Amino acid sequence: GIRDSVASRGLRDEYKRQLAADAAKKFNLSQSESLNALTDLGNRIGPTGASLKDISTVYDGFNILLVLNKVNSQQAASATLQLNQALGSGRLAGEEFNAISEATPQLLDAVAVVMGKNRSELKKLAADGQISSAVLIKALKKIKEEGAKDLETAFGGAFGATRKFDAAIADFSATVGTELLPVFTPLINK
């Protein structure tokens, strides 16, 4: 009963932490950023019956698009939120459709292929609520499979260096903050 549920949740949490660590390394992100994004995604689409594998596929596929498009961190956060909201609601429409179209138009190309439609038809299909979470997951799986080979090249130059630096600073800050907390806590509580 309860003990099995707690053990199962512990395994899921450990698996999620490992997914986050792997994703952080693959996409030059901080581990906390990766874990927070995976947790948010899981909270939104987990209740819809999505598996951890689905969550990993969505996360990887979308991050591949963000890297290939060299989307800056602010735009990436906004686009990720919009995608997560669309997946959580079960469909891509309205504001979410527009944000995805701006930041990662290739996702819409993959959606068109999955649906067997022309890209020009997608705005109307989105308005009618016909671009489902299942379609988005299939499109992101396709992107993950086809785009992974281009990641190393995309991290070349200033974009890759900036991502690595930002991730290193975030991880360093988290580690230093955790390590120094016991030192500063008594001083603050005086």
Side-chain angles (χ1 to χ4, degrees):
I2 293 175
R3 189 175 305 155
D4 292 338
S5 174
V6 170
S8 175
R9 187 174 44 240
L11 288 173
R12 279 195 314 267
D13 288 347
E14 182 57 35
Y15 180 69
K16 192 168 44 174
R17 278 192 289 280
Q18 187 59 51
L19 278 176
D22 293 345
K25 185 175 180 182
K26 185 186 318 178
F27 298 113
N28 291 328
L29 298 169
S30 74
Q31 289 195 29
S32 61
E33 180 181 4
S34 187
L35 182 59
N36 288 340
L38 279 164
T39 300
D40 181 51
L41 181 60
N43 288 340
R44 291 177 189 271
I45 69 172
T48 67
S51 67
L52 283 171
K53 185 176 180 185
D54 291 336
I55 293 166
S56 177
T57 295
V58 167
Y59 185 81
D60 282 3
F62 198 62
N63 274 285
I64 286 170
L65 283 180
L66 294 172
V67 169
L68 295 180
N69 285 333
K70 298 189 183 331
V71 176
N72 71 41
S73 58
Q74 188 175 1
Q75 283 180 305
S78 174
T80 301
L81 175 64
Q82 297 299 328
L83 176 67
N84 290 355
Q85 288 176 340
L87 289 164
S89 72
R91 63 189 177 87
L92 178 65
E95 186 179 328
E96 291 97 357
F97 180 88
N98 293 334
I100 298 301
S101 181
E102 269 184 45
T104 56
Q106 297 91 336
L107 176 52
L108 297 182
D109 293 338
V111 165
V113 169
V114 167
M115 294 183 79
K117 302 288 183 182
N118 291 322
R119 168 85 186 271
S120 60
E121 299 174 78
L122 292 185
K123 191 162 184 106
K124 172 129 178 51
L125 291 168
D128 294 341
Q130 294 184 26
I131 303 177
S132 69
S133 293
V135 167
L136 288 170
I137 291 170
K138 285 180 188 172
L140 287 162
K141 181 178 182 185
K142 179 178 176 30
I143 289 164
K144 177 183 177 182
E145 292 167 354
E146 295 173 1
K149 66 187 179 311
D150 298 323
L151 270 180
E152 190 174 322
T153 304
F155 280 124
F159 176 76
T162 301
R163 286 275 291 240
K164 285 178 186 175
F165 178 77
D166 290 347
I169 291 295
D171 283 338
F172 176 76
S173 296
T175 301
V176 168
T178 303
E179 296 295 322
L180 291 180
L181 191 58
V183 173
F184 286 118
T185 302
L187 299 173
I188 294 169
N189 290 334
K190 285 187 175 184

